[in-house]
Amino acid sequence: MVRIVTEISKYLIILFMVLYTIKCFTVLKPVKKDKKRRALNVQIFYVFMIHFLCYLTMYLHYKTIDILIFYVLQMIISITYMVSYHAIYKESSRLITNNMSFLLLIGYVMLTRLDFDMAKKQFLFASIMLIVTAFIPLIILKCPAIKNWNVFYAIAGLFLLITVFIPGIGLSRYGSYNWIQIGGVSLQPMEIVKIIFVFFLASSFEKAKGFADMIKTSIVAGAFMLVLVLERDLGGAVIFFMVYIMMIYIATGKHSILIGGVISGVVLVTLGYLLFRDVFSHVTTRINAWINPFDYIDDDGYQLAQSLFAIGSGGFEGTGLCQGLPTSIPVVWSDFIFSAICEELGVIFGLCLLLMYISCFIYFINISMKIRNTFYKNVAFGFTICFILQVFLNVGGVTKFIPSTGVTLPLISSGVSSIVSTLVIFAIIQGICILENSKPKKIESSSNYVKEKNIDKTEYRDEFSGE
C-alpha cells in the first residue's frame, strides 16, 4: 500500500510542479486583475498539493506523528503569513510571496527527509525571519535617507567580514575560514555582508560626481573581495566580483566595463589558481574532483561522484521520496541538496525548479528595469544578480558544470545565514515593489496591448503587485 501511494504521489508531484512552473511564467504577462488573481490562487493550490503529497509519503514511510505535527505547523505559518502580509501591504507582489513560500516548503520537505532535526531548526529560524523581514518594506517606505549611508555600509560590511579572524568566535570549515559561532549558532558573515555590499555600491553610485568617486568605490569594493580571498572563500569572492561588475555596468552603461571585467575576472582566477594552489588547497581539491571525479572517487571526488550517481539513478521521474539514497552524498543537506531533489523527486522536478528560479530572476529584472528611483533600481538589480549567481554556482557545482564553490541553494539548502540573507533580499525587493506601486501610475490609453486584447483600462495591471 505504501509503495502504491508513493508511486502515485511521485507522478502527481511532478504534474503539479510542471503546472506551477508554467504559471510562474504566465502570470508575468500583463492581463486583467481578476485573471491574474485567479492564476496566483491556482499557483498556491499547486504549492500546497505538492507539499501535502510529500508529507503524506513521508508519514506513510516513517509512521511518526511528529511529521504530521510538523506539516500542520508549516501550513499554519504559510497561510497566516501570506494572508496577513497582503492584508497589511496591499500593494505587495503575490508572485514574490508565492515563490518564496514554495521554496521554503520544498526546503522543509527535503530537510525532513534528510535530517528531521535540521528541518525543525530551519523552520524555526525561517519563521522568526518571516516576522522580522515583514518590517523591511515599512523601513523602505519611511526611511529614504538610507541611500546616503555609503560610508556606514562600507565600515559595517568590512567589520562584519573580519569578525571571522577574532579568536574564539572564528571557525574554519571545508577549507574556508569564513564562519563565526555565537551562542551555539554558526553563521557566515558573508551572507549578511553581501546585502550590505549591494547597498554600499548603490549608495556610492547614487552619490558619485565623477571618475574619482568611482575609483574610491572600486577601491572599497576591492577591499571586500580581498578579505574574502584571505578567508579563502572564493565562492563569496566570485559573487561579490560579479555583482560589482554588473552594477557598475548598469551605473555607467559602458559595455567595455562589462567585457573587461569578465575577462579580468577569468584571468585573475586562473593566475590565482596557478600561483597559490598550495595556499588554496581546498580549491585545488575541488578542481581535481571537477575535472574527473571518478579518478578520485575514493577521496576528493567522492562527493561529486555520489552527486552524479544520485542524479542519474533518479532519472526523469525520480525514485520517489524515501526510496533513494541521498544521504550517501556528504553535506547533502547544504551544498548538494539539489542532487537529493533530482534523485527522489526526479530530474523533471529539478528542471522545473530551475525554471522557477529563472522566472524569479526575470521578474526581479523586470522590477529593476521599471523602477523610477535610481538608488532602488541599482539595489534591485544587485540583489537579482546575487540571487541568480547563487543558483548558478550551486547547481553548476553539483552537476559538474563548474567546480563546486560551497554556495547554498537559496531558501532550500540548510543554513541559518543563507535563510536569513535570502529572506531579507526577498523582503527588500518586495519593499521596492510596494514603494513603486504606491506611486500614482498613468496608463496610456493608446497601449497596443490594451487595444488588441480589448482590456478595460481600469482593470489592466502592468505593475509588480502580482494581481
Side-chain angles (χ1 to χ4, degrees):
M1 181 63 183
V2 174
R3 181 65 180 175
I4 294 174
V5 173
T6 299
E7 284 296 308
I8 295 174
S9 296
K10 179 175 72 175
Y11 290 104
L12 286 176
I13 288 169
I14 293 173
L15 173 63
F16 287 128
M17 183 61 180
V18 171
L19 294 174
Y20 179 86
T21 305
I22 293 172
K23 286 296 181 184
C24 283
F25 289 92
T26 57
V27 296
L28 294 176
K29 298 188 299 183
V31 295
K32 281 186 177 182
K33 183 178 178 180
D34 290 341
K35 186 175 180 180
K36 180 160 285 191
R37 182 184 292 112
R38 287 195 299 270
L40 290 164
N41 290 338
V42 170
Q43 237 189 356
I44 295 173
F45 170 76
Y46 294 150
V47 170
F48 288 150
M49 284 304 301
I50 293 171
H51 187 240
F52 168 75
L53 290 169
C54 287
Y55 272 95
L56 174 64
T57 301
M58 287 190 289
Y59 172 73
L60 292 176
H61 182 82
Y62 294 115
K63 293 182 174 62
T64 171
I65 194 67
D66 289 348
I67 286 181
L68 285 182
I69 296 173
F70 192 44
Y71 165 77
V72 172
L73 287 175
Q74 290 175 42
M75 290 295 294
I76 291 172
I77 293 296
S78 298
I79 294 173
T80 302
Y81 177 77
M82 285 190 285
V83 172
S84 59
Y85 194 92
H86 295 294
I88 296 171
Y89 299 114
K90 298 186 184 301
E91 297 295 335
S92 59
S93 169
R94 287 185 61 194
L95 183 59
I96 291 179
T97 309
N98 286 359
N99 287 340
M100 186 181 73
S101 300
F102 171 80
L103 291 172
L104 284 172
L105 292 174
I106 292 299
Y108 300 151
V109 166
M110 292 310 302
L111 291 176
T112 301
R113 163 68 180 103
L114 299 170
D115 188 321
F116 193 30
D117 289 336
M118 198 168 290
K120 290 185 286 187
K121 179 181 177 182
Q122 182 98 331
F123 173 70
L124 176 62
F125 278 98
S127 299
I128 293 172
M129 284 308 301
L130 287 176
I131 298 172
V132 173
T133 56
F135 293 95
I136 288 179
L138 188 62
I139 295 173
I140 290 176
L141 291 169
K142 299 297 184 181
C143 190
I146 59 177
K147 67 179 182 180
N148 301 318
W149 298 350
N150 61 320
V151 175
F152 167 76
Y153 298 137
I155 295 173
L158 288 171
F159 172 77
L160 285 175
L161 276 185
I162 64 176
T163 55
V164 300
F165 300 117
I166 299 176
I169 64 172
L171 297 174
S172 176
R173 291 184 179 178
Y174 314 118
S176 299
Y177 207 84
N178 60 344
W179 291 81
I180 60 174
Q181 186 166 20
I182 302 175
V185 177
S186 298
L187 301 169
Q188 274 187 297
M190 184 278 291
E191 292 286 352
I192 307 301
V193 173
K194 71 183 180 185
I195 297 172
I196 298 174
F197 183 68
V198 169
F199 272 98
F200 162 72
L201 291 177
S203 178
S204 296
F205 294 153
E206 177 79 5
K207 297 172 66 176
K209 301 298 183 182
F211 182 72
D213 290 330
M214 299 299 283
I215 291 296
K216 293 176 184 177
T217 300
S218 299
I219 291 173
V220 177
F224 276 89
M225 298 172 219
L226 179 60
V227 175
L228 287 169
V229 171
L230 293 176
E231 294 177 2
R232 303 182 184 180
D233 183 5
L234 298 190
V238 168
I239 292 176
F240 276 55
F241 179 77
M242 290 305 300
V243 168
Y244 167 72
I245 292 298
M246 295 302 294
M247 287 187 68
I248 198 172
Y249 166 66
I250 288 295
T252 61
K254 295 183 178 179
H255 298 291
S256 58
I257 290 179
L258 178 61
I259 297 171
V262 172
I263 293 174
S264 62
V266 172
V267 171
L268 287 173
V269 169
T270 304
L271 288 176
Y273 171 69
L274 294 175
L275 297 176
F276 303 104
R277 64 175 66 187
D278 293 334
V279 176
F280 299 98
S281 57
H282 67 294
V283 177
T284 303
T285 297
R286 289 174 178 175
I287 291 177
N288 290 336
W290 169 61
I291 293 172
N292 195 339
F294 302 106
D295 283 351
Y296 301 91
I297 195 169
D298 294 326
D299 189 13
D300 299 340
Y302 180 78
Q303 186 182 40
L304 183 55
Q306 289 297 320
S307 171
L308 297 176
F309 287 146
I311 295 172
S313 63
F316 286 109
E317 73 279 5
T319 60
L321 273 176
C322 309
Q323 302 299 316
L325 297 171
T327 52
S328 63
I329 308 172
V331 203
V332 65
W333 55 85
S334 180
D335 303 355
F336 282 74
I337 199 166
F338 185 75
S339 304
I341 290 172
C342 289
E343 179 179 7
E344 297 204 334
L345 298 179
V347 171
I348 293 176
F349 190 98
L351 289 174
C352 288
L353 183 63
L354 291 182
L355 288 172
M356 195 276 289
Y357 276 120
I358 292 172
S359 74
C360 286
F361 169 72
I362 294 172
Y363 188 57
F364 292 169
I365 283 288
N366 186 44
I367 292 170
S368 66
M369 292 299 101
K370 289 186 176 182
I371 188 82
R372 288 167 285 181
N373 185 299
T374 305
F375 171 72
Y376 284 119
K377 178 188 290 289
N378 290 330
V379 167
F381 184 77
F383 287 140
T384 301
I385 299 302
C386 275
F387 176 76
I388 201 63
L389 265 178
Q390 191 167 339
V391 174
F392 172 76
L393 292 174
N394 178 271
V395 177
V398 305
T399 57
K400 198 182 172 296
F401 186 75
I402 58 173
S404 176
T405 56
V407 173
T408 55
L409 192 62
L411 296 181
I412 293 181
S413 295
S414 172
V416 174
S417 307
S418 179
I419 282 288
V420 169
S421 65
T422 309
L423 287 177
V424 169
I425 287 173
F426 271 70
I428 291 171
I429 293 179
Q430 186 75 274
I432 293 173
C433 287
I434 296 168
L435 178 66
E436 184 69 8
N437 289 338
S438 298
K439 298 177 181 178
K441 293 185 182 298
K442 181 180 178 181
I443 301 175
E444 298 292 340
S445 60
S446 60
S447 170
N448 291 330
Y449 185 89
V450 174
K451 287 181 177 180
E452 291 173 4
K453 299 298 182 180
N454 194 27
I455 296 175
D456 186 348
K457 288 184 293 180
T458 61
E459 295 182 347
Y460 179 73
R461 301 276 290 205
D462 188 14
E463 305 173 2
F464 314 125
S465 64
E467 293 186 352

